[in-house]
Amino acid sequence: MSLFKARDWWSAVLGEKEEFDQGCLCVADVDNSCTGEDKIVVGSYTGYLRIFSPHPVKVGDRAQAEDLLLEVHLRDPILQVEVGKFVSGTELLHLAVLHARKLCVYSVSGTVGNVEHGNQYQIKLMYEHNLQRIACNMTYGSFGGVKGRDLICIQSMDGMLMLFEQESYAFGRFLPGFLLPGPLTYSSRTDSFITVSSCRHVESYKYQVLAFATDADKREDTEQQKLGAGKRLVVDWTLNIGEQALDICIVSFNQLASSVFVLGERNFFCLKDNGQIRFMKKLDFSPSCFLPYCSASEGVVNTLIGNHSNMLHVYQDVTLKWATQLPHVPVAVKVGCLQGLKGVIVTLSDNGHLQCSYLGTDPSLFQAPKVDSREINYEELDVEMKELQKIIRDVNTSPGPLAEKEDFLSIFATVSSTLDSVSQAASHEVGAEAVPSVTVKVMIRSRLALQKTKLSIYVESPLAATRDHFIFDFLEPEILKTISLSVFLKGNYLPSELEGTAMASYSMPTGFANQSDDDQVNMLGFRFITGSQVTVLASKTSQRYRIQSEQFEDLWLITKELTLRLQEHFEKQGVKDFTCSFSGCIPLQEYFELIDQHFELRLNGEKVEELLSERAIQFRAIERRLLSRFKDKTPAPLQHLDTLLDGTYKQVIALADAAEENHSNLLQSFARLKSATHLVIMLIGLWQKLSADQTAILEAAFLPLQQDSQELGWEETVDAAVAHLLKTCLSKSSKEQALNLTSQLTIPRDTSRLKKHITLLCDRLAKGGRLCLSTDAAAQQTIVMPGGCATIPELDPEERTTEQDSSNMFPNQRHLATQTLKSETSPPATFLE
């Protein structure tokens, strides 16, 4: 173990439970910044791409939020990241990301923000190549001696080298005798690709040989390769190192000499261009990664080698110059220039520990602060402080507009005591060369949540504002919004006033009305989220209400809520004899229309199920025929059984879709029918002044089912219950009571019998019949309420005018009127808060 530890300059922990390898780290000026400082690019096997620009305040700081320039999830695992000139027509650096089945090239750019740490970075996909084979690794360089651009070579898992000339695919070649992929690099001086095969041989292939070899779009057999067109792929030179290689790098001193460095499992090799060994070093540890780089001394190469003992060794040729301890096992190591500090060592572990460190003593990071030559004017600061304190005191002590219930919005405005340092005057008509401007700050605050707030600024001519209107889509309650504008002299004459006006208009997200001071308001409209409308009208001369809507079932919820709120209101007022009543005929015709719609959907469901059952039987029969034909040892013609099977299958699918759609419509129809049934029960109870027990009997008869089904439906169940009431408590004689009901409930042929029974029930209630569980006819009361079969009574002239106005607003609407008795209060329309 070394006594020296790597000096931690900056560090970060990437993600949770992510995995990294040697190809996942790259250090380069990926965003082509003007300073030329390197950035750290990291990709993970979980698909996350991150770009860092460390800015440590002091040595050893952890990563801050502003250090992460970009983080994006690319979904596919990232095998390798490289930076080079990968886009045609430009020599700017771009980022290449290698996935298992895809190669993507991105441009990284940054937008300068208006405040500190406000820069925004984004990546843009320039092009991508979908790979036909699973990729292992890649290398890049100026293949064939091209100038000003880099080409990419990808090695697949089955030994194919795929070469891409930037946006286009060039060719692919299979390596001879391939078994497992090894590390791959490119030597620009010899224009060769160097790899280590599974035979533990270092092999070099010329680019020209690859270009003119046999095409490898389809891997051919040995005999076909001998007879096929093109030249056979021949290795330039080879060297047996006797062990598997972990990584391979090329270091060039100049165009006349370069070295091939190979990191093995137990040895470290340095080779010449022709494959001869320059030197080798036996390692007494298990290496994990390495990085050769040119030293300041000409002709000397330094090499960083990390191992599995958390150590980093620095070699100069074969001599160990330094050994330092790391907090993790590095799988990738790079050297870069970060924040003007050259030679920063960047290491990455397999679990995402990223660290920037250095060797030796601490560097001097002190920078002299900028000298502020502007002198502070304490008098102006005191004046500004007093003005601000006065504003705060006025807001806190005075009730202001927020104290009034009607005002939900308050506006404050302040005018700067000094002119703008840079005039904001635009398109003025003043003869002077420069027209001054002054800044006005307008602050707006709401007591409730407001929508679509529009703020308008008005100043007397010839004064003008740089902007005279502002729009706020949403204002949060008790949040102060501040906007700034400048006012200047636009015309060539003096204004009569130096005052301005700020006015705001807004809308509130509410659908109900608060209490109004206007005694003439007698109408309230509701629009449901489903689109239907319901209107409530109150008479100005009598305590009567009219509720109207385009759909009969939509009246139920509003009618129920109106009666409940009226009862709550009069209970709070201490009125004990308050009651609600309904005058008019029961709207059975509209109710029967909903019954017919529901019953028709039930019949349609039965027909569709029968057809679906027939087609299913037919489909299974055809399947049996085909299966017997296929099992027969002597093949026989199908006789279009396959066509018949396909047509039957399509019919089964179509019928199943129709059955599903009919079931959905049936559920909606049943919900509408239940709403209408609730409304009819309420109207009958108000009409005949039924007690709670009697209303419960009606509900049990008309609402026996929570959900509808084909086996037991609403129509036959309600018909049996209503018939039982007609033959018991609502019977005319003992003869009717003696009749027995059928014990079997089946779906009827039509709804005529059910509608006749419902009409008869209303008629007998109108003639004095009363609902009870006992069959004693003497217990029935004989009070008869008029209007059982009468039409809706005429309205007062004032109410008729109101209805005409409302009918113009909502044409073709159905009407329903309720009347309240014995209430001596203000107009009830104000109760719906």
Side-chain angles (χ1 to χ4, degrees):
M1 178 180 293
S2 174
L3 297 176
F4 304 99
K5 292 186 179 180
R7 309 301 296 268
D8 186 7
W9 183 66
W10 177 89
S11 62
V13 178
L14 310 181
E16 295 181 359
K17 298 182 180 180
E18 296 188 40
E19 296 182 5
F20 304 84
D21 207 346
Q22 65 180 19
C24 298
L25 176 65
C26 181
V27 177
D29 185 19
V30 66
D31 60 340
N32 302 280
S33 61
C34 58
T35 59
E37 292 184 350
D38 292 334
K39 312 297 185 300
I40 302 175
V41 183
V42 184
S44 70
Y45 284 166
T46 54
Y48 282 95
L49 177 68
R50 299 177 177 90
I51 301 178
F52 291 92
S53 178
H55 292 78
V57 179
K58 60 181 180 179
V59 176
D61 275 356
R62 298 283 248 167
Q64 303 296 323
E66 57 270 14
D67 295 339
L68 180 60
L69 303 183
L70 179 70
E71 181 178 9
V72 61
H73 190 204
L74 301 181
R75 298 180 182 274
D76 298 324
I78 299 175
L79 304 182
Q80 191 172 347
V81 290
E82 297 291 348
V83 175
K85 302 174 183 179
F86 300 133
V87 177
S88 60
T90 178
E91 294 190 4
L92 295 178
L93 298 179
H94 290 77
L95 175 64
V97 180
L98 179 64
H99 303 283
R101 285 286 188 176
K102 184 168 56 176
L103 171 66
C104 302
V105 175
Y106 300 92
S107 66
V108 181
S109 59
T111 304
V112 179
N114 296 326
V115 297
E116 187 181 1
H117 309 309
N119 299 348
Q120 297 180 356
Y121 286 80
Q122 59 271 349
I123 62 172
K124 179 182 179 183
L125 180 64
M126 306 303 295
Y127 63 88
E128 67 177 13
H129 294 290
N130 293 319
L131 307 180
Q132 300 299 322
R133 288 173 165 80
I134 299 177
C136 176
N137 51 25
M138 69 174 175
T139 185
Y140 69 95
S142 54
F143 305 161
V146 296
K147 303 294 183 182
R149 57 176 179 161
D150 293 325
L151 309 184
I152 299 176
C153 177
I154 300 176
Q155 180 179 207
S156 67
M157 295 296 293
D158 57 352
M160 182 178 180
L161 298 182
M162 298 172 285
L163 286 91
F164 297 90
E165 294 183 356
Q166 297 181 337
E167 289 87 350
S168 60
Y169 172 73
F171 57 86
R173 302 290 185 265
F174 279 104
L175 297 177
F178 181 87
L179 182 61
L180 294 174
L184 177 69
T185 189
Y186 171 75
S187 175
S188 60
R189 203 187 78 82
T190 61
D191 195 21
S192 303
F193 295 97
I194 303 175
T195 184
V196 180
S197 67
S198 56
C199 299
R200 300 178 177 180
H201 290 181
V202 181
E203 299 175 350
S204 175
Y205 297 90
K206 291 285 189 179
Y207 175 75
Q208 295 297 332
V209 176
L210 289 173
F212 290 101
T214 304
D215 190 10
D217 290 339
K218 293 183 179 180
R219 192 164 191 169
E220 301 175 348
D221 296 335
T222 304
E223 295 297 329
Q224 293 178 344
Q225 288 181 356
K226 292 180 179 179
L227 300 176
K231 298 180 180 180
R232 185 178 179 183
L233 184 59
V234 180
V235 64
D236 183 32
W237 56 261
T238 181
L239 175 66
N240 186 359
I241 61 175
E243 58 182 308
Q244 184 60 42
L246 301 180
D247 201 359
I248 184 170
C249 290
I250 303 294
V251 176
S252 298
F253 299 103
N254 48 50
Q255 284 298 107
L256 300 178
S258 63
S259 297
V260 181
F261 290 86
V262 181
L263 179 64
E265 296 176 333
R266 295 178 300 275
N267 296 278
F268 166 54
F269 302 90
C270 178
L271 311 180
K272 296 181 181 179
D273 293 336
N274 57 3
Q276 297 179 359
I277 296 180
R278 189 185 300 272
F279 64 84
M280 66 174 292
K281 173 68 176 177
K282 183 175 179 60
L283 305 175
D284 55 356
F285 51 80
S286 177
S288 60
C289 62
F290 87 133
L291 177 69
Y293 63 96
C294 294
S295 174
S297 302
E298 187 66 26
V300 179
V301 176
N302 288 343
T303 306
L304 300 176
I305 302 180
N307 60 37
H308 289 277
S309 300
N310 295 8
M311 297 293 295
L312 185 67
H313 295 263
V314 182
Y315 287 89
Q316 192 172 76
D317 290 342
V318 296
T319 305
L320 178 63
K321 291 294 185 180
W322 196 269
T324 184
Q325 187 177 4
L326 295 174
H328 56 267
V329 176
V331 296
V333 58
K334 300 291 181 182
V335 174
C337 177
L338 303 174
Q339 297 299 313
L341 185 61
K342 297 181 180 180
V344 178
I345 302 173
V346 184
T347 55
L348 176 67
S349 69
D350 60 349
N351 58 1
H353 190 111
L354 180 65
Q355 177 173 316
C356 297
S357 55
Y358 57 91
L359 307 177
T361 59
D362 295 338
S364 176
L365 300 179
F366 174 76
Q367 294 182 356
K370 297 181 180 179
V371 179
D372 192 356
S373 59
R374 187 181 63 178
E375 296 182 358
I376 301 176
N377 191 335
Y378 291 99
E379 295 181 357
E380 293 181 358
L381 292 178
D382 290 340
V383 173
E384 185 178 1
M385 179 62 72
K386 291 180 180 179
E387 292 178 355
L388 295 176
Q389 289 177 348
K390 183 178 181 299
I391 294 175
I392 296 173
R393 186 168 54 254
D394 293 342
V395 172
N396 293 334
T397 57
S398 61
L402 292 179
E404 300 179 8
K405 183 179 179 181
E406 292 77 15
D407 294 334
F408 301 102
L409 198 67
S410 59
I411 302 175
F412 310 94
T414 58
V415 181
S416 176
S417 59
T418 59
L419 298 176
D420 296 338
S421 58
V422 178
S423 177
Q424 303 297 320
S427 65
H428 59 82
E429 301 173 0
V430 185
E433 295 181 358
V435 175
S437 63
V438 65
T439 299
V440 178
K441 292 184 178 180
V442 181
M443 292 161 283
I444 182 172
R445 182 172 60 185
S446 63
R447 186 166 57 88
L448 300 176
L450 303 179
Q451 296 177 348
K452 297 296 182 182
T453 304
K454 298 180 180 179
L455 177 64
S456 301
I457 309 297
Y458 174 77
V459 292
E460 288 285 340
S461 180
L463 295 177
T466 54
R467 186 175 177 183
D468 56 0
H469 67 279
F470 302 84
I471 298 178
F472 303 90
D473 292 333
F474 182 76
L475 284 181
E476 298 180 357
E478 303 299 337
I479 300 298
L480 190 66
K481 292 279 187 178
T482 304
I483 54 99
S484 299
L485 56 101
S486 296
V487 179
F488 59 95
L489 185 66
K490 185 174 183 180
N492 198 14
Y493 56 96
L494 295 178
S496 60
E497 293 182 5
L498 296 179
E499 296 181 355
T501 304
M503 180 179 65
S505 60
Y506 58 88
S507 61
M508 297 176 58
T510 178
F512 295 89
N514 289 331
Q515 186 171 354
S516 175
D517 293 337
D518 189 2
D519 295 339
Q520 303 301 320
V521 176
N522 67 331
M523 182 186 302
L524 185 63
F526 300 89
R527 181 188 296 274
F528 295 132
I529 195 172
T530 56
S532 57
Q533 299 175 354
V534 179
T535 308
V536 180
L537 299 97
S539 175
K540 297 181 179 179
T541 57
S542 62
Q543 295 172 340
R544 304 177 66 185
Y545 297 90
R546 176 177 292 270
I547 308 174
Q548 57 191 28
S549 175
E550 297 177 356
Q551 303 293 334
F552 174 68
E553 63 273 11
D554 294 339
L555 298 172
W556 157 241
L557 294 178
I558 299 299
T559 305
K560 176 184 178 182
E561 190 68 21
L562 177 63
T563 55
L564 291 177
R565 295 200 179 195
L566 287 174
Q567 292 174 0
E568 292 178 359
H569 172 73
F570 285 106
E571 286 179 0
K572 293 179 181 179
Q573 298 293 330
V575 179
K576 298 182 179 180
D577 55 349
F578 167 77
T579 182
C580 291
S581 64
F582 169 74
S583 61
C585 64
I586 304 298
L588 294 180
Q589 187 61 37
E590 292 81 359
Y591 185 50
F592 291 160
E593 290 178 2
L594 292 174
I595 295 176
D596 291 336
Q597 294 174 7
H598 178 262
F599 186 72
E600 183 179 358
L601 289 174
R602 288 188 62 193
L603 295 180
N604 292 338
E606 280 195 344
K607 293 178 182 178
V608 172
E609 288 182 359
E610 290 177 0
L611 290 175
L612 183 59
S613 178
E614 293 176 0
R615 294 298 179 268
I617 295 173
Q618 178 179 330
F619 186 78
R620 289 191 293 270
I622 299 172
E623 280 185 327
R624 287 193 295 269
R625 286 282 188 91
L626 283 175
L627 186 60
S628 63
R629 293 289 177 91
F630 292 149
K631 288 183 177 181
D632 195 358
K633 294 182 179 180
T634 58
L638 296 180
Q639 297 179 350
H640 303 289
L641 284 177
D642 54 344
T643 305
L644 185 60
L645 181 69
D646 182 66
T648 307
Y649 173 75
K650 292 180 179 178
Q651 292 180 1
V652 169
I653 295 299
L655 289 173
D657 293 339
E660 185 177 0
E661 181 181 1
N662 186 84
H663 180 68
S664 177
N665 295 334
L666 185 62
L667 293 178
Q668 298 179 18
S669 177
F670 186 62
R672 292 193 294 266
L673 180 60
K674 288 178 65 177
S675 297
T677 303
H678 279 295
L679 181 61
V680 169
I681 293 174
M682 172 182 282
L683 296 182
I684 293 176
L686 296 177
W687 171 44
Q688 291 297 323
K689 299 184 182 301
L690 300 182
S691 63
D693 294 337
Q694 294 172 336
T695 305
I697 295 175
L698 273 184
E699 291 178 349
F702 281 86
L703 296 172
L705 302 176
Q706 292 296 327
Q707 58 183 2
D708 204 12
S709 64
Q710 291 294 120
E711 293 78 12
L712 182 62
W714 182 87
E715 286 80 7
E716 57 267 27
T717 308
V718 174
D719 186 32
V722 174
H724 175 73
L725 292 178
L726 292 175
K727 296 178 185 301
T728 54
C729 59
L730 295 179
S731 62
K732 291 184 178 180
S733 62
S734 59
K735 181 180 180 180
E736 289 185 356
Q737 296 181 8
L739 295 178
N740 294 326
L741 299 175
T742 179
S743 60
Q744 184 177 5
L745 296 180
T746 57
I747 183 172
R749 291 179 298 177
D750 52 36
T751 59
S752 58
R753 185 170 183 269
L754 172 63
K755 292 187 287 188
K756 178 181 178 181
H757 285 168
I758 295 176
T759 305
L760 188 59
L761 182 142
C762 295
D763 182 63
R764 292 191 180 180
L765 287 176
K767 293 180 179 180
R770 280 296 175 261
L771 297 171
C772 62
L773 297 179
S774 174
T775 58
D776 187 4
Q780 302 176 5
Q781 302 179 10
T782 57
I783 303 177
V784 179
M785 294 294 295
C789 300
T791 59
I792 298 178
E794 292 292 330
L795 302 177
D796 297 336
E798 187 176 0
E799 293 180 342
R800 186 181 297 111
T801 305
T802 304
E803 179 177 356
Q804 292 175 358
D805 296 339
S806 63
S807 300
N808 293 332
M809 295 174 61
F810 305 101
N812 300 325
Q813 294 180 338
R814 309 187 188 278
H815 303 284
L816 173 66
T818 63
Q819 180 179 7
T820 61
L821 305 178
K822 299 181 181 179
S823 61
E824 300 177 357
T825 57
S826 58
T830 60
F831 304 151
L832 302 178
E833 297 182 356

